[in-house]
């Protein structure tokens, strides 16, 4: 029941929000990534005594197996484009929690395929605790998330959409 965060350790990705949300709880998290905030985050973990570990980057080929080891994935960016790590986590049936910002809210359907939260530690903590203690919800959101990704983001679907776009362009 560890929580996973994957991303650049930089201000816009807000990994410190995960640390703040988990302080004074029994929840544990692994943060995978590298960046300019790494040393600062390590100090914050020690100071808050949060049960958070920062792990080195993982080779992309190993990521699918890694996601499957976690039941909860969190993404707390200020803004995203097409959040690849979120899509990967959802395709691995992780229950996902994301900040209610452009890019993330375009992927997560609140209470259907994941949970959307405000960008503050109390909102994030509440959502993570809910998933941590409610296995039924956690599993249901993870299953729905995977179905959504298969339906909208599988390679066959993307190729069909791209082919249709080219077809329409050639007609015009």
């Amino acid at each position: 029941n560890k929580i996973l965060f994957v991303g650049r350790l930089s201000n816009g990705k807000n990994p410190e929000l995960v640390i703040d949300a988990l302080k004074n709880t029994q929840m544990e998290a692994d943060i995978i990534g590298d960046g300019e905030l790494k040393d600062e985050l390590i100090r914050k973990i020690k100071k808050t005594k949060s049960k958070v570990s920062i792990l080195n980057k993982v080779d992309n080929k190993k990521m699918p197996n890694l996601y499957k080891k976690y039941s909860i994935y969190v993404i707390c960016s200020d803004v995203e484009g097409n959040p690849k790590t979120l899509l990967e986590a959802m395709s691995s049936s992780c229950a996902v929690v994301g900040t209610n910002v452009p890019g993330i809210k375009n992927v997560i359907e609140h209470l259907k395929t994941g949970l959307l939260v405000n960008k503050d530690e109390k909102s994030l903590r509440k959502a993570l605790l809910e998933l941590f203690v409610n296995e039924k919800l956690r599993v249901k959101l993870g299953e729905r998330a995977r179905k959504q990704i298969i339906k909208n983001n599988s390679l066959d679907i993307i190729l069909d959409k791209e082919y249709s776009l080219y077809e329409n362009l050639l007609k015009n």
Side-chain angles (χ1 to χ4, degrees), residues 54-118:
I54 296 182
L55 308 175
N56 292 325
K57 287 177 69 174
V58 174
D59 184 77
N60 285 341
K61 292 177 185 175
K62 295 180 180 179
M63 289 304 295
N65 289 328
L66 182 79
Y67 285 112
K68 290 177 184 172
K69 294 179 182 180
Y70 296 85
S71 58
I72 302 170
Y73 177 81
V74 64
I75 182 169
C76 43
S77 306
D78 289 333
V79 67
E80 283 286 345
N82 187 29
K84 182 178 168 189
T85 61
L86 175 60
L87 299 173
E88 291 171 341
M90 290 173 75
S91 74
S92 298
S93 300
C94 292
V96 295
V97 178
T99 44
N100 191 10
V101 299
I104 296 172
K105 69 181 180 181
N106 300 93
V107 176
I108 297 174
E109 281 188 73
H110 185 62
L111 292 174
K112 291 187 180 181
T113 61
L115 301 177
L116 291 169
V117 299
N118 294 326

Side-chain angles (χ1 to χ4, degrees), residues 150-162:
I150 290 169
K151 179 182 174 190
N152 298 322
N153 299 87
S154 69
L155 184 57
D156 289 339
I157 296 297
I158 298 299
L159 288 174
D160 286 346
K161 287 178 183 178
E162 191 169 328

Side-chain angles (χ1 to χ4, degrees), residues 113-149:
T113 61
L115 301 177
L116 291 169
V117 299
N118 294 326
K119 288 189 297 178
D120 64 80
E121 67 183 82
K122 287 181 184 178
S123 297
L124 182 56
R125 181 182 301 119
K126 182 180 176 189
L128 291 172
L129 279 169
E130 175 71 20
L131 290 177
F132 200 73
V133 300
N134 189 339
E135 181 181 4
K136 196 173 192 178
L137 177 63
R138 191 172 63 237
V139 169
K140 181 172 76 172
L141 291 176
E143 288 172 352
R144 287 181 181 166
R146 178 165 171 72
K147 286 178 185 174
Q148 176 184 311
I149 296 303

